[in-house]
Amino acid sequence: MGTKRNFRVWRGDASGGELRDFQVEVNEGEVVLDVIHRLQATQTPDLACRWNCKAGKCGSCSMEINGMPRLGCMTRMSTFTEDETVTITPLRTFPVIRDLVTDVSFNYDKARETPAFAPPPSLAPGEYRMQQVDVERSQEFRKCIECFLCQNTCHVIRDHEENKPPFSGPRFFIRAAELDMHPLDSQADRKEHAQASMGLGFCNITKCCTEVCPEHIKITDNAIIPMKERVVDRRYDPLVWLGRKIFRRDQLEDAAPDPALGVLPPREPAPGEPDRQRPHRGAQAAATDDRGHLPLTELTFENQAAPSPFGDDVTFPLPVEDLNYHHPARDRPGRTPAEAISEVVRDEPLH
């Protein structure tokens, strides 16, 4: 048998509501979503709550538990003391529909406003080529489950309703950063769009969005701060400003290298060193402003993202000694990583 625990759950709709007290049986190993389901089954069958996978991957059961934005299915009751009253409320930033269900359509509106990935028109599907380092650079941001906890906790819109029209929020800043890092994205400059149309300048990097992310994405450090730094470089770096004044796209071929301006001549790679000066296959020319000026920081490469340290093209599959796969169950003393990987590849083929 479980023990009786005290809960306060918000009941109401868009017209108003209140916190109501309940005593619910809690068993060992249960999470907050289990308690809500028991409440629905035994005391309040009309209690409204979103949920789907109960595995922390759909993002549906977002709520505030003791004032902290969390997923109900990932918040274990063992984190609270037995005499502690657990307060469950809906997401504060978005309008309440009923009980714990809120209207998160704001986020879908902002998703539609974010320009989608645009592959180079010169490449057909199947001809795209990316280096592994480019994949890994943005892979972290693809873990987002769109629970919108980061959007809910961001004080820019949590405390200021008037900021919602010009501000997209951290979830869509990581989307912009992911696409800005993508070497095959030919869309217009993502950095300028994030600053001018998504409200990147509103963010003052308090890192509250990172703290509540259930996928542990470093939203602030790996997406928002780098995007802000690139915008500042574009707008306020005196060398970049000077480069925009001096150079235009049609003058680049005739421009002599000038180290004083940051325009360096191509360096011949050492024997055995990959050629890092060559752009990716299918790389797009760097964006220019309406006067045809090219940012100085992008004068040395054809594409906006830096070339891969692996060189131009890599043949796949890679040799096993070049893979970074680690299988902890197969660790044995005196065996090299290549031998371990070989066994994994041999014994566990991909299907």
Side-chain angles (χ1 to χ4, degrees):
M1 290 290 296
T3 57
K4 292 283 187 178
R5 303 278 288 272
N6 297 320
F7 293 87
R8 302 192 74 194
V9 183
W10 197 90
R11 301 297 312 276
D13 53 28
S15 61
E18 62 181 359
L19 287 167
R20 296 185 185 176
D21 293 322
F22 298 93
Q23 276 202 332
V24 188
E25 180 182 310
V26 176
N27 300 312
E28 183 178 359
E30 290 189 328
V31 296
V32 170
L33 188 59
D34 293 320
V35 174
I36 293 175
H37 287 166
R38 186 166 290 118
L39 261 176
Q40 291 174 323
T42 59
Q43 301 182 48
T44 59
D46 61 340
L47 175 63
C49 174
R50 281 197 184 106
W51 72 283
N52 188 19
C53 72
K54 204 187 175 189
K57 292 303 177 185
C58 74
S60 300
C61 60
S62 299
M63 59 188 69
E64 295 192 9
I65 303 171
N66 284 0
M68 175 67 73
R70 299 173 182 265
L71 293 178
C73 68
M74 298 300 289
T75 305
R76 294 198 170 276
M77 288 303 303
S78 58
T79 60
F80 310 105
T81 60
E82 290 192 5
D83 59 348
E84 182 177 0
T85 298
V86 180
T87 302
I88 306 173
T89 55
L91 298 179
R92 172 179 152 181
T93 302
F94 308 114
V96 173
I97 297 176
R98 203 182 88 192
D99 299 339
L100 303 180
V101 178
T102 54
D103 180 3
V104 294
S105 59
F106 163 82
N107 302 284
Y108 301 113
D109 293 337
K110 293 302 178 181
R112 283 190 288 267
E113 295 172 8
T114 303
F117 170 71
S122 60
L123 295 180
E127 295 179 352
Y128 302 159
R129 295 294 182 271
M130 285 181 64
Q131 312 302 340
Q132 185 62 31
V133 66
D134 296 318
V135 175
E136 293 173 353
R137 186 181 292 122
S138 60
Q139 190 67 28
E140 174 188 14
F141 308 135
R142 289 183 168 273
K143 296 192 300 180
C144 176
I145 61 175
E146 294 199 328
C147 60
F148 303 129
L149 294 182
C150 62
Q151 300 283 87
N152 175 67
T153 196
C154 180
H155 61 274
V156 175
I157 51 178
R158 185 181 177 93
D159 300 327
H160 303 278
E161 186 73 18
E162 68 276 10
N163 287 340
K164 284 187 176 181
F167 187 76
S168 294
R171 189 277 169 268
F172 301 103
F173 291 154
I174 67 172
R175 175 63 175 161
E178 173 200 339
L179 294 174
D180 189 56
M181 296 174 184
H182 201 301
L184 294 178
D185 180 45
S186 61
Q187 188 59 264
D189 196 334
R190 302 274 178 184
K191 296 177 281 293
E192 289 299 326
H193 178 79
Q195 177 68 16
S197 303
M198 299 178 69
L200 181 64
F202 282 80
C203 174
N204 57 7
I205 57 176
T206 56
K207 299 190 179 184
C208 50
C209 52
T210 302
E211 292 178 4
V212 300
C213 179
E215 289 294 322
H216 307 292
I217 302 171
K218 296 188 181 300
I219 300 172
T220 311
D221 291 338
N222 292 350
I224 296 178
I225 290 178
M227 289 286 280
K228 279 178 167 286
E229 289 174 342
R230 294 170 201 157
V231 170
V232 169
D233 285 345
R234 283 286 185 87
R235 295 192 170 202
Y236 305 111
D237 190 315
L239 286 179
V240 175
W241 176 87
L242 182 60
R244 284 179 172 176
K245 292 291 184 182
I246 295 175
F247 293 100
R248 296 195 307 271
R249 183 190 293 268
D250 58 359
Q251 295 177 329
L252 289 179
E253 294 181 359
D254 300 328
D258 187 350
L261 294 178
V263 185
L264 303 178
R267 179 181 62 83
E268 290 298 325
E273 179 186 4
D275 186 354
R276 302 187 182 186
Q277 299 292 340
R278 297 162 59 193
H280 299 297
R281 182 165 70 180
Q284 300 298 298
T288 59
D289 59 21
D290 54 359
R291 294 171 296 172
H293 293 171
L294 185 70
L296 189 65
T297 52
E298 297 179 354
L299 287 176
T300 55
F301 300 119
E302 283 190 26
N303 55 323
Q304 295 182 38
S308 166
F310 294 128
D312 189 15
D313 277 324
V314 177
T315 301
F316 291 94
L318 293 172
V320 293
E321 59 269 13
D322 292 344
L323 297 177
N324 57 6
Y325 179 76
H326 177 70
H327 198 301
R330 298 181 179 274
D331 286 341
R332 289 203 299 270
R335 189 176 51 163
T336 66
E339 293 172 341
I341 295 171
S342 296
E343 290 190 14
V344 173
V345 172
R346 184 183 67 245
D347 298 341
E348 301 177 14
L350 297 177
H351 298 286

